[in-house]
Amino acid sequence: MRRINQFLIENNLRISNNPCISPDFCLDWPALRAKLTAPSVKERPNTRFETADGQWVLLEDEATCDCAWKLLPRSKSGLAVLEDGIALGKGGFAFPATWENLLRLKNAVQEHDPGSTIFPTAGANLGRGTLGIGARFTTLHWPAVEWAMHALNLGVTANQNSIPRELVFDVDAMLDGKLDTVPFAFIGTSVPEGHQGQSVEGMSHGCVLSKLKTGFHRRRIAWSFNADHQPIGGKFDAREDALVRGCVLASYITFDLSPELAQTAAAADPRAWVTRHVPPDLIDRVRARVASAGLTLNDGEFATLLASVWPALAKMKRRDDKYRAAREAAFTTEIGRRYLRELSIDELPGLTTPETTAVMLSLCEALDMRIDFVAPAFGFQKNTPYPDNAELRGLIERQWAVCRAFDTSIGFHSGSGKSAENYAVMGAVTGGRLEIKTSGRYTYEMGVALSTSKNPSDAALWRDWYVFTIDMAIAGAFSSDATEQNMARAFISAALGPPPKNGTRLNPFDSPSSCRRALEALPPSPDYMFFFEYNFLFVLAAGGRPDKTAMGDHSPAGYGQRARFYSISAEARLNFAKAIAHYIVFLAATTGLVEANRCATAAARLDHYSSLDEMLAEI
Ligand SMILES: [Zn+2]
């Protein structure tokens, strides 16, 4: 048995209450195998599909959610189709839903039917216009995305998370306590990476099973899975093979060059450096290509830019070769091997200049890496509308002029919570050649779903969550760390609003107790900035404690906390699913990716559902 499965079973962390931690969707095959014909193991009828070997359906144990694949084979040799199979009688076979079996099934499915949409692909319009939907609550989240894709007839980036920042990149490293930490300046500390608890393979596996369980795959709408912000270079060199291995099911890779760029020292003599390190024919091609996009760079500027980005680009090329090789080793089909590329440059300081975008895109082109999306910095703040729409239009127009010349779409990072007018500008300027990346929004929507639920245990979870963010805000506001203090006070001030005109309000920053009095006087709501900013840290905080050492806890204490979200009521699940779907419909409508009538019809339908089953039955 895989070590992670042993750990999960010993601590009663089952897929039913803590999904997507293990790469497998069957933690205990001996136990499931022994009861495959018991009434508690259900055949999921929506999941039927076919390969050359025969008819498949998913079996799921209702108590643990451990899963198996059942095959009704065309020939008697079915037992060897996947690993660890057993004969079921009546000619059928069953196999555990392991990670290895999933990879083999992907290939078998796509060899049999290249148009299949069970697995994420780079097909249809996904490389031109899409919405990036961060899936922080995994199985609670995907069915709503499937509903939205079906209702809008729009394939999107239906699974997306940053690895290793949000997802555990390697469950063995996690068990060995070897996960690195990610600095979070706004709380003045570093938190273990993988702060949402699920692993990249577990997410990859879960999002595929979700498509089958809701029957979404029968709609034949292509969708993608984005391995977001794959860090290139710097300290990540040491584990790039592990990152590549874990992301093998991703059909879309975002390259984040900032680790290498941050450690690249400025060359004393950029021209001499470039002459020594960059092939001359490549320099000529890049210069000509930048000029063809209508931009002029003088030799000095060009050399300085090239010297600063070349080491990162060279490492990006090396990593890209590895992503490609991993897919070629695992899959035989063209559709199964293909992936989209995004170049993320919004992490660089300041606004991205059109010249930088042009140089980066032409370098990728010269290195034979087609870039489907590029993400320049537009100065976005998460969950805050861009204040000046005309100014935003100008910024996007200047970037779009470059992107169009390279046949590349624009990725808008930190895309949550912009105004309808902002999204309309993004859609109009790019003609729908864009991706809006959203993630934090959906954690907030869980807050909304719980805070409006009438179920007592939802209400208790909501209260604990809200109080956690208040405690974090107050501790931050009186921290000796200047950044942490400034950020916390800004979040608190935004929540409290301007002081009343008569000036009677006490200063909330006189003391922690006056700050607490001020915050506790507010009616609890997920709409305060401090809730939005601190909420995600609660999910894996040991015991739900607002304590820096409790965050991102991959022990049973952290996962026990995570389990609270997976036991929310049917009412909260419905609220959450509707909210996610509404937001996707809103994004599709305002960006113009889907025509207004269709969006309006979808939104109206959503409001009528009184149960999640009713909503999902329409997929
Ligand atoms: Zn980015």
Side-chain angles (χ1 to χ4, degrees):
M1 186 180 282
R2 219 191 271 277
R3 279 172 66 211
I4 185 69
N5 295 348
Q6 192 88 49
F7 163 82
L8 293 170
I9 291 168
E10 276 168 10
N11 292 290
N12 195 29
L13 304 169
R14 303 307 299 243
I15 294 167
S16 49
N17 62 16
N18 253 302
C20 304
I21 304 166
S22 170
D24 300 326
F25 256 70
C26 175
L27 305 184
D28 189 350
W29 179 227
L32 180 61
R33 193 174 56 199
K35 61 173 175 182
L36 278 174
T37 53
S40 69
V41 177
K42 297 278 189 267
E43 204 168 284
R44 299 293 179 203
N46 282 341
T47 63
R48 288 176 207 290
F49 63 94
E50 220 178 76
T51 67
D53 292 302
Q55 306 279 341
W56 296 86
V57 70
L58 191 74
L59 305 176
E60 184 178 34
D61 176 27
E62 284 194 311
T64 62
C65 291
D66 273 5
C67 291
W69 300 103
K70 179 177 166 184
L71 169 67
L72 291 175
R74 287 187 216 285
S75 71
K76 288 204 172 73
S77 59
L79 195 56
V81 172
L82 299 180
E83 292 170 9
D84 293 330
I86 57 159
L88 283 175
K90 293 187 194 159
F93 298 98
F95 307 89
T98 59
W99 174 246
E100 290 73 19
N101 279 344
L102 184 75
L103 297 185
R104 286 172 66 162
L105 260 185
K106 163 172 161 161
N107 204 53
V109 162
Q110 292 177 331
E111 278 188 342
H112 182 67
D113 175 10
S116 166
T117 57
I118 295 174
F119 288 85
T121 68
N125 200 46
L126 290 163
R128 295 174 67 83
T130 182
L131 301 170
I133 313 296
R136 285 183 175 166
F137 287 110
T138 71
T139 52
L140 298 172
H141 171 108
W142 291 311
V145 186
E146 287 142 28
W147 183 94
M149 289 194 287
H150 160 58
L152 299 172
N153 192 30
L154 175 74
V156 302
T157 313
N159 195 36
Q160 166 200 294
N161 275 104
S162 296
I163 306 145
R165 186 185 174 94
E166 293 179 299
L167 304 187
V168 173
F169 82 105
D170 178 334
V171 288
D172 287 323
M174 171 189 127
L175 290 174
D176 293 336
K178 287 184 180 158
L179 293 181
D180 202 349
T181 58
V182 180
F184 283 114
F186 80 105
I187 56 167
T189 191
S190 290
V191 170
E193 44 178 44
H195 60 66
Q196 294 302 292
Q198 50 267 27
S199 71
V200 55
E201 298 98 329
M203 285 282 280
S204 309
H205 206 152
C207 69
V208 169
L209 296 195
S210 184
K211 305 292 168 295
L212 288 165
K213 284 162 84 172
T214 58
F216 172 78
H217 64 297
R218 292 182 306 219
R219 301 292 172 183
R220 296 183 79 79
I221 298 171
W223 57 284
S224 65
F225 164 25
N226 175 219
D228 203 359
H229 285 108
Q230 288 285 282
I232 303 298
K235 66 178 180 177
F236 296 95
D237 281 344
R239 48 180 167 144
E240 69 178 353
D241 290 335
L243 287 169
V244 167
R245 198 165 48 242
C247 296
V248 73
L249 266 192
S251 60
Y252 175 9
I253 305 285
T254 295
F255 294 85
D256 174 358
L257 306 185
S258 54
E260 186 67 19
L261 291 172
Q263 67 160 44
T264 304
D269 180 349
R271 279 185 232 214
W273 192 95
V274 167
T275 309
R276 231 177 310 123
H277 293 93
V278 188
D281 60 317
L282 193 135
I283 299 173
D284 292 342
R285 275 163 67 197
V286 169
R287 198 196 307 271
R289 193 66 169 98
V290 171
S292 81
L295 295 168
T296 40
L297 277 167
N298 70 43
D299 280 359
E301 290 167 339
F302 183 65
T304 303
L305 190 51
L306 206 51
S308 65
V309 302
W310 178 255
L313 261 304
K315 286 195 175 177
M316 175 179 168
K317 176 65 179 167
R318 182 178 80 193
R319 178 78 66 82
D320 187 58
D321 286 341
K322 291 187 175 191
Y323 289 122
R324 195 185 63 239
R327 282 156 184 73
E328 285 173 359
F331 312 120
T332 57
T333 66
E334 172 62 26
I335 185 85
R337 289 174 169 182
R338 222 189 120 208
Y339 58 96
L340 304 169
R341 293 185 196 87
E342 177 178 52
L343 181 63
S344 181
I345 47 177
D346 69 319
E347 293 77 14
L348 302 179
L351 297 179
T352 312
T353 64
E355 287 79 8
T356 299
T357 304
V359 168
M360 299 301 273
L361 288 175
S362 55
L363 277 165
C364 289
E365 195 177 76
L367 292 167
D368 205 18
M369 293 185 285
R370 187 193 143 63
I371 299 300
D372 300 284
F373 295 90
V374 64
F378 293 106
F380 283 176
Q381 301 297 318
K382 282 190 165 82
N383 203 38
T384 307
Y386 195 85
D388 184 333
N389 226 27
E391 187 181 285
L392 179 63
R393 177 180 285 274
L395 284 173
I396 301 173
E397 278 172 348
R398 283 192 288 283
Q399 290 292 333
W400 176 240
V402 176
C403 293
R404 194 173 39 197
F406 288 87
D407 190 29
T408 294
S409 299
I410 297 185
F412 291 94
H413 291 191
S414 302
S416 285
K418 300 293 164 283
S419 67
E421 294 75 21
N422 293 161
Y423 293 128
V425 165
M426 298 176 205
V429 174
T430 61
R433 292 282 309 265
L434 83 173
E435 177 173 52
I436 312 286
K437 279 202 169 172
T438 53
S439 184
R441 175 75 192 200
Y442 307 111
T443 311
Y444 156 83
E445 292 293 359
M446 179 60 88
V448 177
L450 292 170
S451 69
T452 52
S453 168
K454 289 176 278 306
N455 178 286
S457 90
D458 294 339
L461 178 55
W462 158 245
R463 197 169 47 245
D464 292 350
W465 199 3
Y466 181 71
V467 169
F468 169 93
T469 63
I470 286 190
D471 290 346
M472 290 291 295
I474 295 170
F478 294 90
S479 164
S480 56
D481 179 293
T483 306
E484 183 186 3
Q485 186 189 102
N486 288 338
M487 299 290 273
R489 291 186 180 201
F491 304 154
I492 291 169
S493 299
L496 294 175
K501 289 243 166 39
N502 58 20
T504 54
R505 190 166 83 190
L506 296 170
N507 181 355
F509 304 121
D510 278 346
S511 70
S513 60
S514 58
C515 190
R516 182 171 295 279
R517 263 199 307 281
L519 288 176
E520 287 180 351
L522 295 171
S525 160
D527 288 322
Y528 302 127
M529 198 181 223
F530 62 82
F531 178 79
F532 192 92
E533 296 291 336
Y534 298 115
N535 64 21
F536 73 98
L537 292 162
F538 181 71
V539 177
L540 207 63
R545 282 182 288 118
D547 172 347
K548 289 177 187 178
T549 61
M551 315 275 152
D553 186 306
H554 297 89
S555 78
Y559 282 114
Q561 168 72 3
R562 183 176 183 265
R564 295 185 71 188
F565 286 94
Y566 288 94
S567 54
I568 61 174
S569 72
E571 182 188 351
R573 280 172 194 253
L574 175 66
N575 290 349
F576 183 57
K578 281 186 179 181
I580 289 171
H582 263 304
Y583 199 64
I584 296 171
V585 170
F586 165 75
L587 292 173
T590 51
T591 54
L593 282 176
V594 176
E595 48 118 1
N597 270 342
R598 190 171 190 123
C599 294
T601 308
R605 261 167 67 198
L606 268 179
D607 290 333
H608 280 99
Y609 298 126
S610 55
S611 79
L612 190 57
D613 285 345
E614 185 192 348
M615 178 174 162
L616 302 186
E618 288 197 12
I619 297 176

